[in-house]
Amino acid sequence: MKKSLIAILVAGLMAPALSFAEKGDFVVRARATYVAPDETSHLHSYQPTLGALEVDSNTIPEIDFSYYITKNIAAELILALGTRHDVNIVGAGAQKLGSVNLLPPTLTAQWHFNPDQTFDPYAGAGLSYVRAMDRGLALAGGGTAISIDRNMWGPAIQAGIDVNLQDKWLVNFDVKKIWFNTDVNLAGTGKIDDLDVDPWVVSFGIGKKF
């Protein structure tokens, strides 16, 4: 019995320990990210014969970098690839307008509640800059061009959890809410919508501490 207990203790001491973030650490994560616009369209207010604008969802690869200022406080920069979304009129005058490609780098400050444990939950807040790299929208049939703002800014909040593993690896789950809006303009007519896009951004992936 004593020999068995000693063997268990020795095995436990020799097993690789979990790695927790320390002040000065960098963490790189690779994640799959689902971007789901929670849009509010005012198209009907400008064009009473039309319904509303709808922006569809998309899943993209994403990479982010965190720097730990202390064990509890980290800064995170999200550098997602461009996320392409189809834009449609739904309801009255329903039609497909094309798609837009948005680049949404986001910087947040995080508070880690439980830094030296396997499960490390956090909450954060920050700012998102959205760059419209491709704004190729047009009315069906006539082909009249539709444009949105090239540059958009908005606040962001987040909540997530890192699950610490051995050898400085981790698994991450993260949810963000970002608020931003854009004017929508029809060539020759002017503004036809003040569109609130306001996406939910849900990510899952792995990370490595350095």
Side-chain angles (χ1 to χ4, degrees), residues 6 13 48 74-75 97 99 112 135 146 183 196 206 209:
I6 292 172
L13 291 172
L97 302 181
S99 64
H112 288 255
R135 303 178 292 167
I146 296 172
D183 290 340
D196 299 316
I206 60 172
K209 304 180 189 75

Side-chain angles (χ1 to χ4, degrees), residues 26-51:
F26 282 96
V27 177
V28 180
R29 299 182 187 87
R31 303 188 288 204
T33 295
Y34 178 67
V35 183
D38 184 21
E39 70 279 291
T40 301
S41 172
H42 306 92
L43 179 62
H44 187 72
S45 299
Y46 294 88
Q47 300 287 321
T49 60
L50 299 177

Side-chain angles (χ1 to χ4, degrees), residues 175-206:
V175 179
K176 295 181 184 68
K177 177 68 172 179
I178 300 173
W179 290 270
F180 70 93
N181 73 333
T182 179
D183 290 340
V184 182
N185 296 285
L186 179 64
T189 300
K191 184 175 177 178
I192 60 171
D193 200 350
D194 179 19
L195 180 65
D196 299 316
V197 183
D198 302 346
W200 288 97
V201 181
V202 182
S203 303
F204 179 79
I206 60 172

Side-chain angles (χ1 to χ4, degrees), residues 9-80:
L9 291 173
V10 170
L13 291 172
M14 293 179 65
L18 298 183
S19 299
F20 307 120
E22 301 286 345
K23 176 182 177 181
D25 279 357
F26 282 96
V27 177
V28 180
R29 299 182 187 87
R31 303 188 288 204
T33 295
Y34 178 67
V35 183
D38 184 21
E39 70 279 291
T40 301
S41 172
H42 306 92
L43 179 62
H44 187 72
S45 299
Y46 294 88
Q47 300 287 321
T49 60
L50 299 177
L53 290 182
E54 178 185 69
V55 185
D56 79 345
S57 302
N58 196 9
T59 301
I60 59 171
E62 176 250 288
I63 188 168
D64 68 89
F65 303 89
S66 292
Y67 175 72
Y68 279 77
I69 301 166
T70 71
K71 280 188 175 185
N72 294 95
I73 301 173
E76 181 187 72
L77 177 63
I78 299 101
L79 296 176

Side-chain angles (χ1 to χ4, degrees), residues 74-76 106-111 122-128 154-159 176-177 179:
E76 181 187 72
T106 302
L107 179 65
T108 61
Q110 299 173 343
W111 176 259
Y122 59 85
L127 184 67
S128 182
I157 59 173
Q158 71 178 148
K176 295 181 184 68
K177 177 68 172 179
W179 290 270

